[in-house]
Amino acid sequence: MPALLPIKESQRAVVNEVSKALQPHFSAIRTNWRNRMFAEFQLDGRAMAALERLTIGTGFRLFCHDNIHTFEENTSYYGKRLAKLQVDIRVVSQALDIYLELLDPYVHQMFEVERLGEVIAALDRFSSATYVAVSNAYFDAQKAEAATLLAVLDAELTAPNLSALLNRVLQVTTESFRASLGVILLRDADAPVLRARANVGFGDEIENLEIEFGHGFSGHIAQTGEPGILPDITESHGRLNPFCRDKAQALWGVPLKAGEKVIGVMLIGFAKPYVWLPTEHELLRAIADRSALAIQRAGMTEALREREARIAELSGYLLRAQEEERKRISRELHDETGQALMVIRLYLGMLEATVTTRTAKTKIHETLEVVDRTIEGIRRIIGRLSPLVLQELGLIAAIRKEAKDLAKSAGVKAKVSVGDNVGRLSPVTETAVYRVVQEALHNVAKHAHATTVTIQLRRDGGLVKLCIEDDGVGIKQSQKPNPGRRSFGLAGMRERITTLEGTLKVGPASRNDEGAGTRIEVTVPAASAGDWHDRGLTLVPGSGEVHAKGAN
Ligand SMILES: Nc1ncnc2c1ncn2[C@@H]1O[C@H](COP(=O)(O)OP(=O)(O)OP(=O)(O)O)[C@@H](O)[C@H]1O
Ligand SMILES: [Mg+2]
């Protein structure tokens, strides 16, 4: 490292010589210097003490031992201290000048006339070199402050989550102040209680720490919203939590405020009693203000992320519950209503055989027809509620059946094209894809005024791709059936597919002009086929009949 005081060897030797010669007079010189300084600047004791350390009067012992290096280190240290005490650099310059002035009569008295020029030049040089070193120290102190604030800003911009942000801010702060201890406590969302969320120098013991607002040192800072300092913990008179008492000798604390609201407290601790200097106090507050904003933002983002995750979890659960509920209702319709209708049908048939009058026969016959239509209707409802064809014959057969039903009910020509390698997928995937097809085809029937719809299903490596395209009026052109009413079909499709970590795109049909027709594209991971077991219901293949399992 280059010498902080660029002063020639020969001049340094002269300064040493002067220090030795003036030794008996330094006390008197210092008294005069203090009086002059006090009259001109009225500095506080800490600033005066730091200035005094820059003079040969204090450094003479070091010079006597030719220990200029330690003197240089002291100059840099006290220079920084003066910067932190916010002493104007011009005051430093004047303090050094006054000191030189006071040395002058002694120098004249003690040195031969022919040496005076050399001695005065060496003292001048020493004084200006000291001033340069102090200016550098001022510059370094400002640079360090700016670097600290930049590091906090960097943490804010790059920390991936709240906990990382808190740790980085605390790390930067404790390093910047050379503190041995640090903790950030954040307020609970719903109670005035502080909890430790990041720490330096404590370890796990602090994790369960809980401090009520108003209690102890940090609770007081949280309640008043004002910074606090315990320069010497031995005099804290019980205001301090015991876990801090063993670890530090001095504690500084600042509130973390978002607007007027205290969202937390940052504490840093030192191994020795220590009072903050004005710029240190200001820097700590600036760090706290900057970090509070970042912490609040990160907290909100985290809460939003958590809420999104909870909503996704909940909607997944609701979709599963909905499927279960549909199955339960269809089972009850089948087992209760369906069976009862079958019994009614049987008895009516027997009755028809026994009655003799023509009117009665006609009435019973008509009733039997109503019962048959009702049974047919219930079968349709059961099929829609719980896609048994899906469970029994798989997705492809279920899609073909839906397409056939659409053609029959809405008169839309439906083409189904399935890749060879689709195979069976996991139950959840098949159900989701099936429900998307079902809703999309309902929409075609309800809104599209289409003549043709094509449904394509294929497998592409680990993905299943579904595409449903109609040649109808397109989504933008179609009139909302009920403008005041909210629609759930497309949203439900998206939700199902998102739950499976797939994607859904809705847009105009590709082969038509822009806006004509609708195309829905779904991509989902093709999870392997799961455990297929129906829940008490079977569909007799080929017959279209639904039977309770085990029934003849
Ligand atoms: N294939 C389509 N062709 C034309 N317009 C469509 C098509 N599919 C959807 N739409 C339009 O998009 C809107 C939203 O569809 P969505 O399925 O979300 O709701 P919905 O069918 O109106 O009601 P819900 O499905 O909740 O019973 C529909 O109201 C309709 O205007
Ligand atoms: Mg719909």
Side-chain angles (χ1 to χ4, degrees):
M1 202 174 83
L4 290 169
L5 302 178
I7 172 167
K8 279 191 235 151
E9 272 303 316
S10 55
Q11 287 184 317
R12 196 182 292 167
V14 175
V15 175
N16 275 353
E17 199 185 333
V18 176
S19 309
K20 277 177 198 150
L22 296 191
Q23 202 168 332
H25 309 289
F26 279 135
S27 167
I29 295 169
R30 185 163 55 228
T31 310
N32 285 339
W33 177 79
R34 279 185 187 162
N35 291 340
R36 288 265 313 264
M37 288 294 294
F38 185 74
E40 288 198 34
F41 304 111
Q42 292 95 41
L43 296 169
D44 78 2
R46 291 181 300 177
M48 282 297 288
L51 281 171
E52 212 172 298
R53 301 301 280 262
L54 304 175
T55 63
I56 11 178
T58 320
F60 74 91
R61 271 192 208 87
L62 299 170
F63 293 125
C64 293
H65 293 101
D66 214 10
N67 194 352
I68 188 80
H69 186 65
T70 308
F71 186 76
E72 284 172 351
E73 278 180 2
N74 282 353
T75 308
S76 166
Y77 173 79
Y78 286 105
K80 279 196 191 119
R81 193 165 160 85
L82 286 163
K84 290 179 186 172
L85 285 162
Q86 293 174 323
V87 174
D88 192 317
I89 188 79
R90 284 165 299 188
V91 173
V92 177
S93 159
Q94 293 197 33
L96 293 171
D97 284 351
I98 294 172
Y99 201 86
L100 268 188
E101 234 178 276
L102 295 171
L103 287 182
D104 203 52
Y106 292 93
V107 170
H108 274 84
Q109 209 181 333
M110 306 195 103
F111 288 90
E112 303 289 329
V113 181
E114 55 273 19
R115 285 209 61 208
L116 274 180
E118 179 199 2
V119 170
I120 289 170
L123 288 174
D124 262 351
R125 179 75 193 158
F126 173 77
S127 184
S128 44
T130 306
Y131 179 69
V132 169
V134 172
S135 305
N136 284 342
Y138 269 56
F139 178 71
D140 286 348
Q142 276 169 5
K143 210 165 73 178
E145 269 180 35
T148 304
L149 285 174
L150 263 178
V152 170
L153 198 66
D154 180 61
E156 176 183 348
L157 294 175
T158 56
N161 52 41
L162 179 62
S163 157
L165 173 74
L166 297 175
N167 282 314
R168 292 267 295 277
V169 165
L170 199 59
Q171 202 74 42
V172 167
T173 312
T174 47
E175 273 168 21
S176 165
F177 289 99
R178 293 172 206 271
S180 55
L181 207 65
V183 55
I184 293 183
L185 303 135
L186 291 190
R187 184 194 197 276
D188 270 5
D190 44 7
V193 170
L194 294 169
R195 264 174 231 286
R197 299 288 296 273
N199 83 80
V200 167
F202 280 104
D204 300 345
E205 81 245 45
I206 202 169
E207 261 167 26
N208 300 324
L209 182 72
E210 194 183 304
I211 297 168
E212 278 177 40
F213 272 40
H215 283 213
F217 181 58
S218 32
H220 184 73
I221 294 172
Q223 190 162 52
T224 57
E226 291 299 325
I229 180 164
L230 289 174
D232 188 348
I233 278 178
T234 44
E235 288 164 19
S236 67
H237 308 299
R239 276 174 66 209
L240 199 62
N241 215 303
F243 75 91
C244 268
R245 190 178 295 282
D246 309 334
K247 306 248 173 186
Q249 277 297 302
L251 265 192
W252 304 354
V254 269
L256 301 166
K257 291 209 281 193
E260 280 312 299
K261 190 176 174 212
V262 175
I263 60 164
V265 170
M266 174 156 65
L267 298 185
I268 57 174
F270 300 87
K272 286 190 201 146
Y274 189 19
V275 184
W276 53 34
L277 302 175
T279 55
E280 288 175 327
H281 183 198
E282 275 174 18
L283 179 63
L284 191 60
R285 287 190 84 153
I287 294 174
D289 291 347
R290 183 72 251 168
S291 336
L293 290 176
I295 289 166
Q296 195 191 27
R297 207 167 306 139
M300 269 156 40
T301 313
E302 204 140 279
L304 211 62
R305 238 184 259 148
E306 263 169 36
R307 195 175 308 164
E308 265 174 17
R310 269 211 308 277
I311 290 173
E313 200 181 313
L314 182 67
S315 69
Y317 169 79
L318 287 177
L319 286 171
R320 282 195 302 278
Q322 187 192 47
E323 285 300 331
E324 287 303 316
E325 185 63 1
R326 284 176 173 177
K327 278 186 192 139
R328 192 187 63 75
I329 296 171
S330 78
R331 201 159 47 229
E332 267 170 28
L333 274 179
H334 177 275
D335 294 354
E336 304 287 330
T337 323
Q339 297 304 328
L341 283 170
M342 293 307 284
V343 173
I344 292 171
R345 199 190 184 293
L346 189 73
Y347 288 170
L348 280 175
M350 283 157 55
L351 202 61
E352 192 186 20
T354 54
V355 292
T356 48
T357 67
R358 196 179 166 76
T359 349
K361 254 196 192 329
T362 315
K363 284 280 169 231
I364 291 172
H365 188 73
E366 281 169 10
T367 315
L368 269 173
E369 277 176 0
V370 174
V371 171
D372 280 346
R373 279 204 303 279
T374 312
I375 290 174
E376 192 49 44
I378 282 185
R379 272 193 191 142
R380 256 202 320 276
I381 295 170
I382 290 174
R384 231 175 259 154
L385 280 174
S386 175
L388 295 166
V389 63
L390 177 67
Q391 289 186 25
E392 290 298 320
L393 301 178
L395 182 60
I396 299 161
I399 289 177
R400 288 191 198 284
K401 183 172 177 302
E402 282 296 320
K404 219 163 99 188
D405 287 354
L406 177 79
K408 211 159 102 188
S409 62
V412 180
K413 211 162 120 197
K415 295 182 199 158
V416 180
S417 124
V418 179
D420 300 337
N421 56 348
V422 175
R424 292 291 306 254
L425 311 167
S426 74
V428 272
T429 315
E430 291 208 339
T431 307
V433 173
Y434 172 75
R435 291 292 184 204
V436 169
V437 172
Q438 207 176 25
E439 174 57 25
L441 295 186
H442 283 173
N443 278 352
V444 171
K446 260 191 336 193
H447 313 295
H449 307 293
T451 50
T452 312
V453 59
T454 58
I455 305 152
Q456 290 173 309
L457 185 71
R458 63 194 172 86
R459 193 160 177 160
D460 184 359
L463 298 173
V464 175
K465 296 189 171 178
L466 169 75
C467 176
I468 302 159
E469 195 171 295
D470 68 58
D471 59 357
V473 292
I475 286 197
K476 281 188 206 135
Q477 279 70 25
S478 71
Q479 285 293 310
K480 291 240 169 190
N482 213 337
R485 172 185 161 270
R486 292 201 57 186
S487 317
F488 295 103
L490 292 176
M493 278 187 206
R494 196 174 296 282
E495 201 53 52
R496 274 182 195 281
I497 297 305
T498 312
T499 312
L500 296 181
E501 294 177 350
T503 58
L504 179 131
K505 276 195 246 164
V506 181
S510 57
R511 56 171 182 205
N512 289 312
D513 296 338
E514 175 72 15
T518 301
R519 178 187 175 91
I520 294 177
E521 273 181 61
V522 170
T523 306
V524 270
S528 61
D531 174 24
W532 280 93
H533 60 272
D534 61 78
R535 289 147 206 261
L537 290 173
T538 58
L539 179 122
V540 180
S543 72
E545 293 289 317
V546 178
H547 290 290
K549 209 168 192 182
N552 293 322

